[in-house]
Amino acid sequence: MAWLSAAVDKAGGPFSPIKSTLQILAFEAAKTMSRLVALYKSLSDDELFKLRKGPMKSLGVAFLNSMDESYLLGLACKEKLEDLGHAVVVVSRLSKQCIDDELNRFEIAYHNKKQGIIDVGNVDFNSRNVGKAIEKMEKYANATSALHASLVALNELEVSEKKMQKPKINIDYFNEEINFQRKQVLHFRQISLWSQTFDTSVGLMARIVFVIYARICTIFGPFVPSLTCIYIPKRKALHMKVYPETSYCLLVDKEKYKEHASKSGPIMKASRTKPRPRRSHSGQLCLSGPIMKASRTEPKNKSLIQSAPGNTVGAAGLALHYANIIIMAESCFYSTTSISNESRENMYEMLPISLKHALRRKLKGHLSKDLEESDEGQGLAQGWKEALGEIIGWLAPVAHDTLRWQQESDSQQQKLDSEPTALLMQTLHFSDLEKTEAAIVEVLVGLSCIY
């Protein structure tokens, strides 16, 4: 690292008037580029179609979170706007170092775009030029990631070299490795964001920021009235296909989705015949009756993760904890061996006091009832397996998405990943606390009766 610092000093500081390149700020810019690319991809026609047919139609999300698609889309919109906002903060800070006056005023321009009317004709989501800009950003982000890996490897070699010099061991091999690694660092510096100017980097990101914001307004506008109104010129409307049967998603390839849309119907029309798991063995937990519609009243000036209603798992701070319990129960259910006493104790100790009391009460009632109904218990165990399999079938995916969202949220701070991520609305964060706890208790009672 000392060698790298010396090289930086010779070339001028990060804000050298001779060569205004990103240099050490390249890593922050690369993370922001990756965030923008991932956000751009998540707004593609295919990803939006998957969202509508996948998480938004899942039984777990419908039963625990909400069946109101408008509400769920509003949550998705807010999360994407927050994600874009994090990127805008970095782009705004970097733009202050730009020579170009237009780029230098990026923050003002973005604010004006949010307050005014956006001409989609100038920021076409599916244009060839935008596609090329995305490819460039991915290329720069990957090269910058390789630069970071090379710097880490070089640092490790230099530390090892110093340790080996003390006993005066032959270090020719290490010298060769270090020289090679330094050449790698120099190479990746040249092709990565390290050697790119502020104007080049900010110019790419600023354009994609406007494209993404226009896309969000176009898709989610019917569900979030506070979004900027989108104006589509007549000349542009001729080249933009609207999702058949709906008005929320602009698609280029209309025919590709026409067959699916005719089967599924409009997104705003709630299905009258919703699939429901059969009644559980105990008859206590089922999806019959009206499915909860989550409250639309959200506190102002709060982030999405802070705006979960008071009756939700997220508001109680138990989303990740309950997800781990559910996944552990799922593992026990599909295990080919019996559950050990240690596993039972560990799972029981993970439960909050309220759930422990509820579990005890249910176990006492069920065990006495089950003994009366069956002498051998084989038919009873089979009935519980079928019922439990259905509950876990819709409960476990929400738990897995909760862990996935948390892992992706943590990795965004460290890794350069441009793949679309899970959304908070498909996790346990917005799940009804009472229903979630009832489902967990039902699963644990079922496991106890089976084993």
Side-chain angles (χ1 to χ4, degrees):
M1 285 299 185
W3 167 82
L4 179 65
S5 299
V8 173
D9 292 337
K10 291 179 181 178
F15 310 113
S16 170
I18 300 175
K19 188 178 183 182
S20 182
T21 56
L22 289 175
Q23 297 187 15
I24 198 65
L25 295 177
F27 303 113
E28 185 178 20
K31 288 181 183 179
T32 304
M33 280 191 176
S34 297
R35 182 189 292 269
L36 289 172
V37 172
L39 192 51
Y40 178 89
K41 289 181 177 180
S42 73
L43 295 169
S44 68
D45 301 329
D46 287 333
E47 289 298 322
L48 291 168
F49 185 76
K50 290 177 185 177
L51 175 65
R52 181 194 172 191
K53 300 300 293 182
M56 291 184 59
K57 296 293 185 182
S58 68
L59 286 174
V61 171
F63 179 57
L64 297 176
N65 296 0
S66 176
M67 63 162 284
D68 188 344
E69 290 181 312
S70 298
Y71 170 72
L72 295 175
L73 284 171
L75 295 179
C77 176
K78 186 169 183 179
E79 185 168 2
K80 292 183 183 301
L81 284 175
E82 285 184 0
D83 204 14
L84 179 61
H86 294 315
V88 167
V89 170
V90 178
V91 177
S92 298
R93 189 167 64 250
L94 295 177
S95 69
K96 299 296 190 296
Q97 304 298 327
C98 290
I99 298 174
D100 186 276
D101 290 337
E102 294 296 327
L103 294 176
N104 196 261
R105 294 194 295 267
F106 164 78
E107 189 172 6
I108 298 174
Y110 181 71
H111 176 76
N112 291 339
K113 289 288 185 183
K114 290 176 67 177
Q115 300 299 320
I117 297 178
I118 298 176
D119 182 353
V120 178
N122 296 329
V123 285
D124 184 5
F125 181 82
N126 294 297
S127 71
R128 183 178 300 177
N129 290 335
V130 171
K132 289 181 179 179
I134 291 293
E135 290 178 4
K136 274 188 177 181
M137 289 169 62
E138 284 189 289
K139 182 179 178 181
Y140 281 138
N142 291 334
T144 307
S145 179
L147 172 62
H148 182 269
S150 298
L151 287 170
V152 171
L154 177 60
N155 184 59
E156 292 175 352
L157 287 173
E158 289 177 341
V159 171
S160 299
E161 181 190 31
K162 291 179 181 178
K163 291 181 179 179
M164 296 186 69
Q165 282 178 343
K166 292 181 180 179
K168 297 182 179 179
I169 299 176
N170 190 336
I171 58 172
D172 290 341
Y173 172 77
F174 271 90
N175 286 334
E176 291 179 5
E177 287 292 314
I178 290 174
N179 289 334
F180 173 78
Q181 202 61 45
R182 286 177 176 173
K183 290 179 181 178
Q184 288 288 96
V185 171
L186 286 173
H187 169 69
F188 287 122
R189 277 182 56 185
Q190 292 299 319
I191 65 173
S192 69
L193 288 171
W194 184 282
S195 299
Q196 297 302 313
T197 63
F198 283 91
D199 288 52
T200 299
S201 306
V202 171
L204 278 172
M205 291 188 285
R207 181 177 186 182
I208 299 303
V209 164
F210 291 132
V211 170
I212 290 174
Y213 184 73
R215 178 69 166 179
I216 291 174
C217 293
T218 303
I219 296 168
F220 299 104
F223 313 101
V224 185
S226 60
L227 286 177
T228 304
C229 177
I230 296 296
Y231 166 67
I232 305 178
K234 290 183 178 180
R235 68 180 186 280
K236 197 66 183 176
L238 297 175
H239 303 284
M240 302 181 78
K241 304 298 183 182
V242 178
Y243 191 103
E245 312 288 342
T246 74
S247 60
Y248 92 98
C249 176
L250 293 177
L251 294 179
V252 175
D253 191 355
K254 177 179 177 180
E255 297 301 324
K256 181 178 179 181
Y257 299 92
K258 194 170 184 178
E259 180 181 353
H260 296 285
S262 62
K263 294 179 180 179
S264 60
I267 192 168
M268 288 297 294
K269 183 186 293 184
S271 174
R272 294 184 179 179
T273 57
K274 299 176 180 63
R276 300 183 176 98
R278 295 193 301 273
R279 185 176 298 274
S280 70
H281 177 74
S282 65
Q284 298 297 319
L285 181 69
C286 62
L287 294 186
S288 59
I291 297 178
M292 173 194 68
K293 287 190 178 183
S295 171
R296 292 173 177 271
T297 58
E298 297 180 2
K300 294 182 179 180
N301 301 323
K302 280 193 174 183
S303 64
L304 181 63
I305 201 167
Q306 295 174 325
S307 63
N311 64 332
T312 59
V313 177
L318 293 169
L320 192 59
H321 189 68
Y322 280 177
N324 285 320
I325 293 174
I326 293 168
I327 291 172
M328 185 179 293
E330 179 193 27
S331 177
C332 292
F333 177 73
Y334 290 112
S335 176
T336 56
T337 59
S338 298
I339 304 175
S340 65
N341 290 333
E342 183 180 358
S343 297
R344 291 171 185 254
E345 292 176 2
N346 290 338
M347 196 181 305
Y348 182 76
E349 290 303 320
M350 289 177 67
L351 301 178
I353 296 177
S354 60
L355 278 191
K356 288 181 179 179
H357 293 326
L359 180 60
R360 286 173 184 169
R361 288 193 300 269
K362 275 220 164 190
L363 279 174
K364 288 180 181 179
H366 279 285
L367 289 177
S368 59
K369 181 180 178 182
D370 293 344
L371 288 174
E372 294 176 1
E373 292 180 356
S374 176
D375 294 332
E376 298 181 358
Q378 293 180 356
L380 186 65
Q382 184 61 33
W384 268 110
K385 283 184 179 180
E386 293 177 0
L388 204 54
E390 292 181 358
I391 297 174
I392 290 178
W394 57 262
L395 182 61
V398 186
H400 283 288
D401 283 341
T402 303
L403 291 186
R404 179 186 161 200
W405 185 91
Q406 187 64 48
Q407 291 168 355
E408 290 173 343
S409 178
D410 293 341
S411 67
Q412 280 185 354
Q413 307 300 325
Q414 302 172 353
K415 299 179 181 179
L416 304 177
D417 190 1
S418 59
E419 293 302 316
T421 59
L423 292 173
L424 197 59
M425 66 89 175
Q426 67 193 80
T427 70
L428 288 170
H429 190 78
F430 287 97
S431 296
D432 181 84
L433 181 60
E434 184 179 349
K435 289 186 177 183
T436 304
E437 291 183 340
I440 292 174
V441 170
E442 192 79 4
V443 168
L444 296 180
V445 169
L447 288 175
S448 297
C449 293
I450 291 172
Y451 292 104

